Amino acid sequence: MPDRPGALLDVLLAGGRRADRLTHVEHLPGRPGQHADWPGWADASLVAGYRSMGVERPWAHQVEAAEAAWSGRHVALATSTGSGKSLAFWLPALTAVRADRAAETLAPGRIESTRSRGTVLYLSPTKALAADQVNGLQRLLDASRANDVKVSTCDGDTSFEERKWVQEYADVVLTNPDFLHFALMPNHRRWARFLRNLRYVVVDEGHSYRGVFGAHVALVLRRLARLQAHYAPAPPAGSSAPAGTPRNRLTFVVASATTADPAASAGRLIGVPPEQIVTVDTDTSPAGRKTFALWQPPEVLGYEAAQARAAAANDPAADAALAEALLIDPTAHDELGLTSDPDEPATPGDPPERPRRSATAEAADLLADLTAAGARTLAFTRSRRGAEAVATQTQDHLRVVSPQLARRVAAYRGGYLPEERRALEQALRSGAIRGLATTNALELGVDISGLDAVLIAGWPGTRMSVWQQAGRAGRAGADGLVAFVAREDPLDTYLVHHPEAIFAAPLEATVFDPANPYVLAPHLCAAAAEVPLRQSDLAVFGDPAAVTELLGVLVARGALRRRASGWYWTHAQSAAAMTDLRGSGGSPVRVVESGTGRLLGTVDAASADGSVHDGAVYVHQGVSYVVETLDLRDGVALVARRDVDFGTWSRSVTEIAIHGIRDEGQGEAQASVGSAPSDDGPTAEAAPSDDGPTAEPTPGDEPSVPQGSAPNDAAHPAIQRWWGPIGWGFGPVEVTSQVVSFQRRRLPDLQILGVEPLDLPEHTLPTTAVWWTVPAEVLEAAGIDAETAPGALHAAEHASIGLLPLLATCDRWDLGGVSTAMHVDTEQATVFVYDAYPGGAGFAERGFRLGATWLRATRAAISRCPCTDGCPACVQSPKCGNFNNPLDKAAAVRLLDAVLAYAPA
């Protein structure tokens, strides 16, 4: 087996036959590790356990972080994938628990010694990561012979009996923010022992808490700290705690990937100033050399000949050649909610003269060659369907060589059952599986080491994600190969020809705003339901004056009641139910085999209509099933095993409606709260359904605070103001989408075999949007005609979405957009930017209030970019539903100049 990245790169190059596909090679040097001594306070048994597992001495950054946490300082630990972050937080946390256990042993029978035994809470964004951590933790405790420490996961899958044991006995609990919000804190009295003695909270993969989800989690953590203080109040200033009482200082450790300004992000997440955070971001673990290849799939030769040949005769060989020539990537954007029909040709309209092979097909070839060469490889794809497709195609390639080898390739994605995922993880660790095609489900810190190579099929959206995925190659100090395979998309194409945009650009910061009133309001209700809110509590949730004002709104709407002693929740329903942290749109739909009743997996509620409708082909680990019935009421899709030679592609229609407009006249205006979204239309940039809510929210009864925003009704009409002929609007809009039909396409050539109508319900997303309109005469004066208008509007939309986070304290992925040369409500060319969350999140409102500042910054970003036709730094978007087409950079500058000519000074 090749033992150097250079040898693996030779495998990809296939003896020079693929050399023209390699656009750049970046050689990243390795680094030696820097050891440090074990801290003197570290529990001797734990140290012995680590040593028996091969950790003779820790890395210096592990000791630095552990020392800070042991001293009671909050820690932001931001080092690379595979740098051993878990030791840095488990060493102080478990040492504290064992010290309390020892004190209990020395004073048996004393009630206070039992009550003061410290506890630890570990939070991860996924159940899979918590399960992986508990396995590693149990191995450490077994090696340390520290069986006195009781460890358990506890989440929505935990039975009542198991949950009761955890509440009464567990020292370390591993869970996720959702369980905290929906189960633990609303029932905090049952967790009184655990909360009273809570010493450490570990927030793992902290970089994943961004945007509105990050704001929700930040407020969950504030509520958690408030409850801990409720059960273990700090002693009065100047007094000393009685013997046997617990240490009241709650210490947070936020572990994340390498990111920009980790102290600011961690401080915002846990609710403390950045200066109170100890930042550990110098990675002292050893790193092997990485060879990072940028790879562009080849142009498909003989496209015209293959097209003519296929048209002349029903020739399977010709069909296959034509399929290779088509710009259809059956993985592009699938299940990300980025397009109405996610698998249309990458460039709408006429196919280009010289199309390129899809990234999926190319990645399958590369994965097959690496697997045959003995390399252990992960291939990251953009979607669940992509993971299945790459795995299946790779198996097909290898089956010709060796059926045994084909069985050593598999797919890994969300929607699999937990036991399937655990089995795949273990098979990859042991080497039973050499090649694994996966979604970003394996981007997080599940402990998989010893990998030789990573393939990244399509830009994952952020540099942070790229380096997280790349970090899987060569973990534990070994050398590794990474190859980024470009999709046929202007953004990907730009990146493989401009390596500085990957290797020289700074990492993104994790952006979120816990003070956003749209997010904060329901958490104030939840906090009041847990323990009535007092005036002294308000600083926990932000500026006390702003929080008091928001509480007044909640009282006026009947959500809370104000009494002299504080604010109270007096409703029978759960306050926690008012907030969906992830905006998932409901419970997942279960995929069940009709003949056996076997549960195959799950599909997100938001994507069920488009992926498991009646007649859809559902692929699970390379095995195809056909959906017999989708029952949305019960959340079940019944499927039957069937070998088919076709795939299915759904088609949806989307409409945007603006609710009544109130004219505010000329100039800037102050906006009131409202709600609005947008669609995946001809030039839409939509928020991904896996990363943000795109589904219809569950309607609620009183109190009327759905998702923390104002109701979307006539009391909050859209607002219109004018800059001369330029219209600016903000307010409630509704996006109504419906899956109306699906196509059957023959594989592999994707020839359409038929179209079937579907009768599925409409889904409505109410949110808030800002929009601006341009009349025909302004477009004409700017030299923008009917042909160039779509590209100009689309480019301006992309750039404005990219700039709004600078003004609205949000993340690009919290926003969506639509541009159209003629909108039915405005009757003019219109650009919409909307909050991609039910009820809105305040971002579009911010854009409306700062319209002139926003568009001036947008215009400057486009015009100052040195590129010629547009690039990811200006008008291209990593999540465009139309593959960044059409875009016209020059026309966008002229358009913005024309609009800003009427802007107030």
Side-chain angles (χ1 to χ4, degrees):
M1 185 186 91
D3 58 359
R4 294 181 296 108
L8 292 180
L9 182 58
D10 290 341
V11 171
L12 299 189
L13 294 173
R17 293 190 301 277
R18 297 187 185 129
D20 59 327
R21 308 178 195 186
L22 183 66
T23 62
H24 178 79
V25 178
E26 190 82 7
H27 295 285
L28 305 175
R31 65 168 180 264
Q34 299 177 32
H35 287 288
D37 293 331
W38 291 99
W41 48 260
D43 181 90
S45 296
L46 293 175
V47 171
Y50 275 118
R51 282 177 167 154
S52 71
M53 296 170 68
V55 184
E56 189 60 33
R57 296 175 70 205
W59 306 120
H61 71 270
Q62 294 173 322
V63 173
E64 182 184 359
E67 289 278 15
W70 178 254
S71 66
R73 304 281 306 279
H74 303 304
V75 178
L77 176 58
T79 54
S80 62
T81 305
S83 59
K85 290 188 280 284
S86 59
L87 182 149
F89 52 73
W90 287 131
L91 185 64
L94 296 178
T95 294
V97 171
R98 295 213 75 214
D100 290 339
R101 281 284 191 180
E104 180 183 348
T105 303
L106 292 173
R110 293 188 62 183
I111 294 176
E112 60 267 31
S113 66
T114 301
R115 288 178 176 172
S116 66
R117 193 172 70 234
T119 58
V120 180
L121 181 68
Y122 169 92
L123 296 174
S124 70
T126 65
K127 294 178 184 178
L129 183 52
D132 182 73
Q133 277 287 335
V134 81
N135 290 335
L137 189 54
Q138 198 58 60
R139 289 194 299 271
L140 169 63
L141 293 174
D142 290 343
S144 305
R145 299 183 180 178
N147 297 323
D148 53 337
V149 180
K150 308 301 181 187
V151 177
S152 179
T153 56
C154 195
D155 52 41
D157 297 331
T158 306
S159 68
F160 176 79
E161 292 75 16
E162 292 174 305
R163 195 173 298 186
K164 188 173 181 182
W165 182 91
V166 172
Q167 292 164 352
E168 293 179 357
Y169 301 110
D171 301 308
V172 181
V173 174
L174 298 93
T175 187
N176 51 66
D178 310 80
F179 183 80
L180 271 190
H181 172 71
F182 288 110
L184 190 152
M185 294 194 294
N187 299 288
H188 59 86
R189 291 171 183 83
R190 298 177 182 174
W191 293 84
R193 176 200 66 86
F194 186 84
L195 291 168
R196 180 171 53 248
N197 300 304
L198 188 57
R199 305 287 185 85
Y200 290 96
V201 175
V202 176
V203 183
D204 207 357
E205 302 294 344
H207 62 279
S208 65
Y209 301 116
R210 67 184 190 189
V212 170
F213 178 48
H216 278 304
V217 173
L219 292 166
V220 167
L221 294 177
R222 285 157 172 74
R223 287 163 46 205
L224 173 68
R226 176 174 175 259
L227 283 176
Q228 188 270 347
H230 171 73
Y231 284 103
S239 65
S240 58
T245 59
R247 182 180 67 175
N248 294 298
R249 171 76 185 201
L250 179 61
T251 301
F252 284 89
V253 179
V254 180
S256 80
T258 304
T259 181
D261 203 353
S265 296
R268 195 182 311 119
L269 191 63
I270 65 177
V272 303
E275 53 269 21
Q276 294 184 18
I277 305 284
V278 175
T279 301
V280 180
D281 57 2
T282 300
D283 194 339
T284 58
S285 64
R289 295 170 300 157
K290 276 193 176 60
T291 298
F292 202 128
L294 303 185
W295 194 272
Q296 186 172 34
E299 293 178 346
V300 178
L301 301 178
Y303 171 72
E304 296 84 356
Q307 190 178 34
R309 183 177 168 192
N314 186 16
D315 183 347
D319 289 340
L322 182 58
E324 283 290 286
L326 290 174
L327 267 186
I328 297 177
D329 183 348
T331 75
H333 299 302
D334 181 57
E335 296 187 2
L336 293 178
L338 296 180
T339 58
S340 298
D341 186 348
D343 304 325
E344 284 300 305
T347 305
D350 295 333
E353 293 181 3
R354 302 184 69 84
R356 293 188 179 274
R357 195 169 186 234
S358 77
T360 304
E362 189 76 358
D365 277 4
L366 300 180
L367 181 58
D369 286 354
L370 288 168
T371 302
R376 295 168 63 185
T377 308
L378 280 181
F380 285 98
T381 68
R382 291 284 302 270
S383 68
R384 295 180 178 186
R385 188 192 294 227
E388 296 283 359
V390 170
T392 300
Q393 292 174 34
T394 303
Q395 290 166 348
D396 290 344
H397 295 329
L398 291 172
R399 201 169 283 116
V400 179
V401 179
S402 165
Q404 248 185 342
L405 202 56
R407 289 193 288 270
R408 301 187 71 175
V409 173
Y412 181 105
R413 59 173 175 80
Y416 284 175
L417 301 180
E419 53 268 27
E420 286 182 295
R421 293 200 299 268
R422 299 296 83 74
L424 287 167
E425 292 162 13
Q426 181 55 39
L428 187 61
R429 290 190 193 101
S430 67
I433 286 179
R434 283 190 194 168
L436 196 65
T438 179
T439 61
N440 61 2
L442 276 181
E443 184 179 312
L444 300 180
V446 175
D447 183 18
I448 296 174
S449 58
L451 299 180
D452 301 299
V454 163
L455 304 175
I456 303 173
W459 182 249
T462 65
R463 294 178 189 88
M464 205 158 40
S465 289
V466 165
W467 291 113
Q468 276 288 96
Q469 294 178 6
R472 292 296 191 185
R475 284 176 66 131
D479 296 347
L481 170 72
V482 183
F484 165 54
V485 182
R487 291 174 54 250
E488 182 74 349
D489 173 275
L491 190 156
D492 285 30
T493 302
Y494 177 90
L495 290 169
V496 294
H497 291 286
H498 293 82
E500 70 281 359
I502 298 175
F503 302 110
L507 294 173
E508 304 87 355
T510 52
V511 179
F512 55 93
D513 183 13
N516 184 333
Y518 292 78
V519 179
L520 177 56
H523 284 280
L524 292 175
C525 292
E530 290 153 7
V531 177
L533 280 168
R534 313 298 183 195
Q535 190 70 38
S536 59
D537 294 327
L538 303 191
V540 171
F541 298 99
D543 174 45
V547 175
T548 301
E549 183 180 356
L550 185 56
L551 287 169
V553 174
L554 294 172
V555 170
R557 294 188 184 177
L560 296 177
R561 289 191 181 180
R562 180 72 165 102
R563 294 290 182 264
S565 58
W567 291 265
Y568 291 78
W569 174 266
T570 59
H571 304 278
Q573 64 265 47
S574 168
M578 296 167 59
T579 301
D580 182 357
L581 300 188
R582 301 175 190 263
S584 58
S587 300
V589 171
R590 292 162 291 160
V591 181
V592 177
E593 190 173 20
S594 59
T596 64
R598 180 168 65 102
L599 177 64
L600 295 176
T602 60
V603 174
D604 294 338
S607 59
D609 285 12
S611 56
V612 288
H613 53 77
D614 292 4
V617 174
Y618 176 81
V619 181
H620 185 92
Q621 281 293 355
V623 179
S624 59
Y625 300 81
V626 174
V627 179
E628 297 179 330
T629 305
L630 171 62
D631 187 333
L632 291 172
R633 181 178 295 274
D634 292 336
V636 175
L638 295 177
V639 302
R641 171 77 180 90
R642 193 179 306 169
D643 291 322
V644 294
D645 61 354
F646 60 86
T648 52
W649 282 259
S650 63
R651 175 179 174 268
S652 64
V653 294
T654 307
E655 296 178 353
I656 306 175
I658 304 173
H659 290 269
I661 297 176
R662 184 177 76 246
D663 199 314
E664 289 208 347
Q666 298 287 331
E668 297 282 357
Q670 293 299 309
S672 60
V673 174
S675 335
S678 98
D679 72 337
D680 296 346
T683 54
E685 178 179 358
S689 61
D690 283 354
D691 295 337
T694 56
E696 182 177 6
T698 303
D701 301 318
E702 286 291 337
S704 59
V705 198
Q707 299 297 322
S709 79
N712 188 6
D713 55 27
H716 301 273
I719 298 169
Q720 183 84 18
R721 58 183 162 90
W722 299 92
W723 298 349
I726 306 299
W728 273 86
F730 166 77
V733 299
E734 284 189 348
V735 175
T736 302
S737 61
Q738 182 182 24
V739 177
V740 295
S741 64
F742 73 95
Q743 294 178 340
R744 290 190 181 91
R745 295 180 185 174
R746 187 173 65 191
L747 300 176
D749 65 333
L750 300 182
Q751 179 181 334
I752 297 175
L753 301 177
V755 178
E756 297 280 343
L758 292 169
D759 183 16
L760 290 166
E762 293 181 340
H763 294 279
T764 301
L765 171 67
T767 184
T768 51
V770 56
W771 60 91
W772 45 278
T773 63
V774 188
E777 60 270 21
V778 173
L779 291 175
E780 185 178 350
I784 298 172
D785 56 20
E787 183 178 352
T788 56
L793 292 162
H794 195 195
E797 171 214 325
H798 278 187
S800 63
I801 287 174
L803 268 293
L804 186 54
L806 300 179
L807 306 175
T809 321
C810 63
D811 189 286
R812 181 174 193 139
W813 302 87
D814 294 325
L815 304 168
V818 169
S819 55
T820 175
M822 179 64 66
H823 188 267
V824 65
D825 288 334
T826 65
E827 300 181 7
Q828 292 182 348
T830 308
V831 172
F832 291 86
V833 175
Y834 65 90
D835 298 341
Y837 292 85
F843 310 138
E845 181 179 8
R846 182 75 170 164
F848 179 73
R849 291 184 176 185
L850 299 173
T853 302
W854 178 26
L855 287 197
R856 287 189 183 107
T858 300
R859 194 266 181 206
I862 300 175
S863 63
R864 292 174 184 171
C865 186
C867 71
T868 303
D869 299 318
C871 71
C874 56
V875 300
Q876 293 179 359
S877 167
K879 60 192 189 75
C880 177
N882 296 276
F883 307 94
N884 286 297
N885 188 77
L887 292 175
D888 191 326
K889 176 183 176 179
V893 173
R894 297 199 305 273
L895 170 67
L896 291 168
D897 282 340
V899 170
L900 289 167
Y902 296 96

